[in-house]
Amino acid sequence: MVDIVSSEAGIPRPDHPLDSSGSAKWFLPAFGVLVLVGVVYVGYALSQDLAVAKTVPWILLGIALLIALGFEFVNGFHDTANAVATVIYTRSLPAEFAVMWSGAFNFLGVLTSSGAVAFGILSLLPVELILQVGSSSGFAMVFALLVAAILWNLGTWFLGLPASSSHTMVGSIIGVGLANQFMAPAGSATSGVDWSQATNVGVTLLVSPIIGFFAAAILLYAMKLLVRNPALYEAPKGNAPPPWWIRALLIFTCTGVSFAHGSNDGQKGMGLIMLILIGVVPTAYALNRTPDINYLDAYKAASVSVETALGKYAKPGVTVADAKAAKVAVQDAVRTRTWSDQTTVALQTYIHNTTASLQPYASVDNVPTDLVSNARNDIYLIGEALKLIDKKQLLPMQAADLKAVTDYHKAVDNATKFIPIWVKVAVALALGLGTMVGWKRIVVTVGEKIGKSHLTYGQGAAAELVAMVTIGMADRLGLPVSTTHVLSSGVAGTMAANGSGLQWSTVRNLLLAWVLTLPCSIALAFVLFIVFRQVF
């Protein structure tokens, strides 16, 4: 466990950067007012949404939301510490102010996030669990994911190890998928893990720290060649802050990492909260009730276009018996990720039937509550089938027909993949508050335990700049990356490039946490899913 009092980087305790409190007494009350306003808004918006629900299981909803927001709270004090370590140890900002500053920009990052990462993570889950999220297996899935992730994050935080919340969440999802497949009756059409998607996410998570290490090292070399200011490559002297231009650069990169962390990591909680809401109160959240006024008309028009496009590729004599057979054929294609001539006809029929059920209604608000949940599942399943065409290219199409598919796919995603503003605000509050708590353990590891010498201004700027750019790009591409791994490896890269040397005991611990996070979170979620299946 990390000792937050002693130092291995040669920093005398009286001059320790964690002891500087700064003059940010106004900041905490201001953030408190922001939290209060946010809580009131979340409560009001949630009550307005639930007004359309038939019945609301308040206890189950409250527990589920509390655990989901608890995950983001833990994520805040576990991961955000990485963003502030460099500005604290270079004395660019006082410790308390740095944490509050980072919390505020995490908050803003969550509010402005796209949602792409949220649904990219959820696509790892077995499709039938998402379609049956309101069932006992669906609740077991959500609780197993969240509890496993929280337990592992708390354990690594207690040991002062900068482990990855992204790795933890992905491992938990894989564990649930494996457990779902393990518990399925023999011969049943139950899917497990989408290994192609899991591989893409896994490669991103594994490669990003390597990019962080070498990119930060190269950037530090480049800085030494281009910016020949000795002060940039020296350890801070006493309690004096760095020169203003260095200080501005370090604060800018800290702000960017905090904002990017909020916009990327905050989305994991958003996706899980949406699963909870869809499962507990489907009449309010199964379909997007806040699109533009012409949304449903656009959806219907897009469905007609894609029906026509699919008809061009239907082989003569290939038919499906009825609507039920069409749905089963589409489900089989999604589960096995294969395509046949019958799949083309089945998908065309399924789209036609789904659109026909919505034809009498001018907007989503007019769709009867009894129809909402089934309509959502039908549209979501169609979206998963469309991935086999426009992503996997299992049905070769001409460009014009493929455009009809992609346009319809966007309409499908708009109907089922949405995040209300109040959910973003709730996650932002949890992440921002978490940033204010328990940050010292990870800060000390990043600031003192990776390299053998004190972090210099140039090292801090290089590591933070690489982390900011990497995480920001990943957010725009909808890819989950680990703030922890990118920044920690960036610091290590600058230490190696500077010839400062690495503390190999810490590096070994970091690598061990990196290697163990996936298998341990998989095992935790696997066991918890089986346990919760007996509870729900």
Side-chain angles (χ1 to χ4, degrees), residues 29-72:
F31 194 79
V33 171
L34 181 64
V35 169
L36 181 60
V37 172
V39 169
V40 171
Y41 168 74
V42 168
Y44 172 77
L46 180 59
S47 65
Q48 293 295 108
D49 285 351
L50 295 181
V52 301
K54 280 188 171 181
T55 58
V56 180
W58 290 103
I59 295 177
L60 182 59
L61 177 62
I63 292 173
L65 289 179
L66 187 64
I67 295 176
L69 293 174
F71 166 74
E72 286 300 336

Side-chain angles (χ1 to χ4, degrees), residues 31 47 94 152 202 232 238 263 268 308 317 327 338 348 353-354 428 490 499:
F31 194 79
S47 65
W152 183 252
L232 189 61
S263 66
K268 301 172 183 70
T308 303
K327 182 175 182 178
T338 57
Q348 183 188 29
N353 293 337
T354 301

Side-chain angles (χ1 to χ4, degrees), residues 39-317:
V39 169
V40 171
Y41 168 74
V42 168
Y44 172 77
L46 180 59
S47 65
Q48 293 295 108
D49 285 351
L50 295 181
V52 301
K54 280 188 171 181
T55 58
V56 180
W58 290 103
I59 295 177
L60 182 59
L61 177 62
I63 292 173
L65 289 179
L66 187 64
I67 295 176
L69 293 174
F71 166 74
E72 286 300 336
F73 179 83
V74 173
N75 187 8
F77 74 69
H78 190 282
D79 280 16
T80 308
N82 297 280
V84 298
T86 54
V87 289
I88 291 173
Y89 275 86
T90 57
R91 302 188 187 278
S92 299
L93 287 176
E96 292 178 3
F97 185 91
V99 173
M100 296 174 191
W101 181 268
S102 179
F105 280 92
N106 265 274
F107 185 96
L108 293 174
V110 175
L111 290 183
T112 57
S113 59
S114 64
V117 173
F119 297 108
I121 284 285
L122 293 184
S123 65
L124 293 173
L125 289 165
V127 173
E128 71 270 7
L129 284 184
I130 296 178
L131 296 179
Q132 301 168 12
V133 70
S135 65
S136 59
S137 58
F139 290 130
M141 168 190 70
V142 172
F143 282 104
L145 285 176
L146 290 170
V147 174
I150 290 172
L151 288 175
W152 183 252
N153 275 350
L154 284 175
T156 51
W157 164 82
F158 182 76
L159 296 173
L161 295 175
S164 166
S165 294
S166 299
H167 266 146
T168 305
M169 182 55 66
V170 171
S172 298
I173 289 174
I174 292 174
V176 165
L178 292 174
N180 180 60
Q181 198 167 30
F182 173 77
M183 297 185 70
S188 65
T190 300
S191 61
V193 178
D194 182 348
W195 288 111
S196 61
Q197 180 70 8
T199 301
N200 292 336
V201 172
V203 168
T204 302
L205 290 170
L206 290 172
V207 169
S208 55
I210 299 172
I211 292 174
F213 183 93
F214 287 103
I218 293 170
L219 181 58
L220 185 63
Y221 275 129
M223 289 170 65
K224 286 185 174 182
L225 289 174
L226 300 175
V227 185
R228 297 181 179 276
N229 187 327
L232 189 61
Y233 313 107
E234 296 175 356
K237 294 179 174 62
N239 293 320
W244 69 267
W245 65 275
I246 299 175
R247 191 177 190 182
L249 175 63
L250 287 162
I251 293 173
F252 170 74
T253 53
C254 168
T255 304
V257 170
S258 300
F259 183 87
H261 175 264
S263 66
N264 193 284
D265 278 39
Q267 294 190 53
K268 301 172 183 70
M270 291 180 206
L272 291 173
I273 287 175
M274 289 311 300
L275 274 184
I276 291 167
L277 294 172
I278 291 166
V280 177
V281 277
T283 52
Y285 295 103
L287 290 177
N288 189 356
R289 293 181 176 273
T290 57
D292 64 83
I293 193 169
N294 298 316
Y295 160 71
L296 208 53
D297 288 339
Y299 172 84
K300 294 169 186 174
S303 69
V304 172
S305 297
V306 82
E307 276 186 62
T308 303
L310 287 170
K312 297 179 183 179
Y313 301 90
K315 296 293 179 66

